[in-house]
């Protein structure tokens, strides 16, 4: 093979992460009890009392819906810690929940392990409670100490989520923060700040543009910053995007009487096509309520999503793989096709720049769709069309195209 590809390639851990495709974000904390999205850090720890908290329900619902990881807000902007941090008393340890003996991070880590899904943590750099936030050096020490507790106390983490919101214009000690992550959790993805290994897609709608490439020099920092995040010079070129979105429109935390904001199944499927279907990961947020449980309605909608993805894209009618700029997939019999799925072997880079897909019917070929990026995955939903065979033609590539999978799904 005359392989001329010299572009970026993913790390082993990025490959594992991209294969996970879907995760559940869990926003839970002081805001849950105060009907707010951004607490100012002054709400009493006594308000935190999720009497029926069951992290197993969260992890079970995630796994059953086909989500392969879960990311919990260990500390949001209000500074309240879901674990008994030794760095502050603004935490579960000062709450009436389990008489101050509880640890939500521990329960969630254990639940994810039991369910066999990955576990990651969100630790807001912006902290509206901690008085040391005003003192850069002192806060860097505080933040690094909190992060160390999380990186060393809860087993393997697959992702650490650094949220840029509220930190516009603020500089943290990124080299030190990244060194801690690398030292204690070498397999963890780093989200969007410092020396990220994955990037924010740039909106909170859960959708990626198309084409969406796996390489990037920068990404937006937050919804509130015009400029992009400043990454350390050693940031890898391969930095795939993650699409985050709450299942209730614009609400990351639980609020009473907001069921009408729950996205319907069509909308969630559209998000799926425009995130996973554009080669990115989808991080869909569900919010436990004041009981500490995912509301039944939200959990049911999540399961509807999982079931619909399985219904449409469960088992391909035919599948093949191969190298080179043309690949044909023969179907056993003429079949009404509802989806095409293309995947590159990205372990050796993202090589396809432009492609077309054809179908053969009655012995005649005709072009059906065309596009640009494929990367980890490209899902093409189709108006059902009958075909005897499908052919992928790579029109432009860097180096030899390597097709991990070309799949055709029967229309359902
Ligand atoms: C944003 C935050 O401000 C929201 O509260 C939420 O955590 C979202 C995932 O990121 O930047």
């Amino acid at each position: 093979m005359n392989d001329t590809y010299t572009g970026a390639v993913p790390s082993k851990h990025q490959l594992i992460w991209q294969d996970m495709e879907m995760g559940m974000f869990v926003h839970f904390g002081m805001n849950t009890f105060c009907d707010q999205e951004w607490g100012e850090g002054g709400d009493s720890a006594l308000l935190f009392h999720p009497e029926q908290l069951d992290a197993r329900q969260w992890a079970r619902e995630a796994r059953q819906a086909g989500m392969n990881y879960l990311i919990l807000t260990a500390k949001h902007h209000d500074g309240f810690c879901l674990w008994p941090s030794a760095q502050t008393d603004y935490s579960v340890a000062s709450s009436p929940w389990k008489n101050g003996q509880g640890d939500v991070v521990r329960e969630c880590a254990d639940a994810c392990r039991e369910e066999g899904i990955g576990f990651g943590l969100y630790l807001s750099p912006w902290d509206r409670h901690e008085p040391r936030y005003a003192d850069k050096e002192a806060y860097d020490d505080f933040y690094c100490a909190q992060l160390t507790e999380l990186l060393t106390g809860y087993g393997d983490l697959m992702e650490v989520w650094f949220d840029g919101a509220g930190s516009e214009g603020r500089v943290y000690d990124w080299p030190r923060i990244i060194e801690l992550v690398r030292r204690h959790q070498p397999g963890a993805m780093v989200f969007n700040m410092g020396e990220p290994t994955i990037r924010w897609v740039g909106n909170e709608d859960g959708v990626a543009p198309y084409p969406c490439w796996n390489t990037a020099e920068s990404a937006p920092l937050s919804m509130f910053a015009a400029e992009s995040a400043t990454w350390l010079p050693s940031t890898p070129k391969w930095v795939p995007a993650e699409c985050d979105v709450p299942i209730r429109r614009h609400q990351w935390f639980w609020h009473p009487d907001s069921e009408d904001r729950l996205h319907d199944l069509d909308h969630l499927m559209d998000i799926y096509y425009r995130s996973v279907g554009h080669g990115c990961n989808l991080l869909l947020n569900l919010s436990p309520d004041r009981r500490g449980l995912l509301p039944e309605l939200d959990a049911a909608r999540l399961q509807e999503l999982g079931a619909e993805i399985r219904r449409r894209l469960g088992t391909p009618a035919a599948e093949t793989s191969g190298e080179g700029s043309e690949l044909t997939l023969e179907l056993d019999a003429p079949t009404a096709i509802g989806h095409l799925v293309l995947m590159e072997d990205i372990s050796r880079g993202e090589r396809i720049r432009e492609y077309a897909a054809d179908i053969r019917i009655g012995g005649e070929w005709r072009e059906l769709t065309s596009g640009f990026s494929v990367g980890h995955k490209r899902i093409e939903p189709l108006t059902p069309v009958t075909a005897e065979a499908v052919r992928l033609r790579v029109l432009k590539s860097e180096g030899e195209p390597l097709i991990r999978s070309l799949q055709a799904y029967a229309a359902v």
Side-chain angles (χ1 to χ4, degrees):
M1 187 174 76
N2 178 18
D3 196 358
T4 54
Y5 182 80
T6 52
V9 292
S11 70
K12 177 177 86 187
H13 295 295
Q14 285 175 318
L15 273 179
I16 295 170
W17 182 84
Q18 290 190 265
D19 267 339
M20 289 190 186
E21 292 188 355
M22 276 206 292
M24 190 202 270
F25 217 168
V26 175
H27 274 66
F28 182 63
M30 186 53 74
N31 289 329
T32 311
F33 296 83
C34 303
D35 196 8
Q36 60 200 11
E37 285 285 303
W38 276 14
E40 292 178 10
D43 299 303
S44 165
L46 297 176
L47 296 170
F48 186 85
H49 198 11
E51 284 182 17
Q52 300 172 48
L53 187 134
D54 182 9
R56 278 185 188 77
Q57 182 228 16
W58 313 349
R60 193 174 55 240
E61 294 289 353
R63 187 202 29 89
Q64 285 175 355
M67 314 217 125
N68 295 308
Y69 60 100
L70 186 157
I71 296 183
L72 173 69
T73 51
K75 179 186 85 169
H76 203 252
H77 310 322
D78 54 60
F80 183 77
C81 298
L82 292 183
W83 82 104
S85 173
Q87 315 308 318
T88 176
D89 56 8
Y90 197 47
S91 81
V92 284
S94 306
S95 80
W97 178 60
K98 299 198 168 177
N99 294 318
Q101 302 301 304
D103 183 342
V104 184
V105 176
R106 167 94 46 229
E107 295 197 17
C108 199
D110 291 349
C112 289
R113 217 149 286 132
E114 278 171 34
E115 290 294 332
I117 61 173
F119 180 55
L121 288 169
Y122 166 117
L123 183 69
S124 174
W126 186 31
D127 188 322
R128 307 178 89 184
H129 174 86
E130 177 51 44
R132 273 169 284 185
Y133 192 75
D135 176 342
K136 184 193 158 355
E137 313 281 301
Y139 183 75
D140 281 341
D141 290 346
F142 170 84
Y143 187 79
C144 285
Q146 286 198 322
L147 184 63
T148 303
E149 291 177 356
L150 295 173
L151 295 173
T152 57
Y154 298 92
D156 285 345
L157 300 179
M158 45 64 67
E159 183 167 333
V160 186
W161 223 88
F162 294 117
D163 187 345
S167 293
E168 297 81 11
R170 170 81 175 219
V171 179
Y172 302 97
D173 191 349
W174 286 112
R176 185 170 159 204
I177 293 169
I178 296 298
E179 194 277 322
L180 287 173
V181 179
R182 293 279 157 266
R183 175 157 23 120
H184 298 300
Q185 296 287 345
M189 291 296 103
V190 174
F191 180 82
N192 217 51
M193 294 181 87
E195 190 180 285
T197 55
I198 55 173
R199 71 185 198 268
W200 185 42
V201 77
N203 62 69
E204 295 186 338
D205 305 320
V207 300
Y210 186 78
C212 186
W213 306 102
N214 282 292
T215 49
E217 303 284 342
S218 65
L221 174 72
S222 79
M223 297 291 279
F224 317 98
E227 74 276 17
S228 287
T230 307
W231 292 341
L232 300 183
S234 41
T235 301
K237 289 258 179 300
W238 187 277
V239 52
E242 184 176 52
C243 305
D244 59 327
V245 59
I247 199 166
R248 293 192 190 190
R249 197 163 19 94
H250 303 320
Q251 292 185 339
W252 295 97
F253 288 89
W254 180 82
H255 298 270
D257 306 321
S258 80
E259 288 77 10
D260 59 330
R261 288 174 177 256
L262 194 55
H263 285 308
D264 64 26
L265 182 58
D266 280 350
H267 187 81
L268 292 173
M269 282 305 295
D270 184 59
I271 287 175
Y272 177 76
Y273 286 126
R274 293 163 73 190
S275 54
V276 176
H278 289 184
C280 304
N281 276 26
L282 170 60
L283 186 61
L284 178 63
N285 185 76
L286 274 85
S287 324
D289 58 20
R290 288 181 192 158
R291 297 171 302 167
L293 295 172
L294 299 178
E296 286 70 11
L297 265 183
D298 301 48
R301 184 60 44 83
L302 177 69
Q303 296 312 324
E304 275 177 54
L305 173 66
E308 189 59 19
I309 294 170
R310 290 194 298 274
R311 192 177 78 85
R312 296 189 198 182
L313 292 152
T315 313
E319 175 174 11
T320 190
S321 60
E323 295 180 0
S325 52
E326 213 175 284
L327 187 64
T328 302
L329 172 64
E330 294 287 342
L331 294 153
D332 289 344
T335 307
I337 303 294
H339 290 87
L340 289 184
V341 174
L342 320 174
M343 296 175 83
E344 281 187 75
D345 174 3
I346 53 169
S347 68
R348 294 165 67 194
E350 179 163 30
R351 294 161 173 235
I352 298 176
R353 298 286 180 266
E354 197 178 341
Y355 69 88
D358 311 319
I359 53 161
R360 195 184 69 225
I361 187 72
E364 299 282 316
W365 286 105
R366 74 170 172 89
E367 187 173 313
L368 186 67
T369 66
S370 59
F372 300 95
S373 56
V374 174
H376 170 69
K377 190 173 265 189
R378 169 77 176 125
I379 305 177
E380 298 254 26
L382 306 170
T383 306
V385 57
T386 301
E388 307 156 354
V390 172
R391 180 173 67 190
L392 173 68
R393 275 181 296 124
V394 178
L395 305 174
K396 245 190 237 167
S397 70
E398 201 189 315
E400 183 86 343
L402 307 171
I403 314 302
R404 175 175 169 184
S405 191
L406 167 61
Q407 306 166 359
Y409 288 80
V412 287

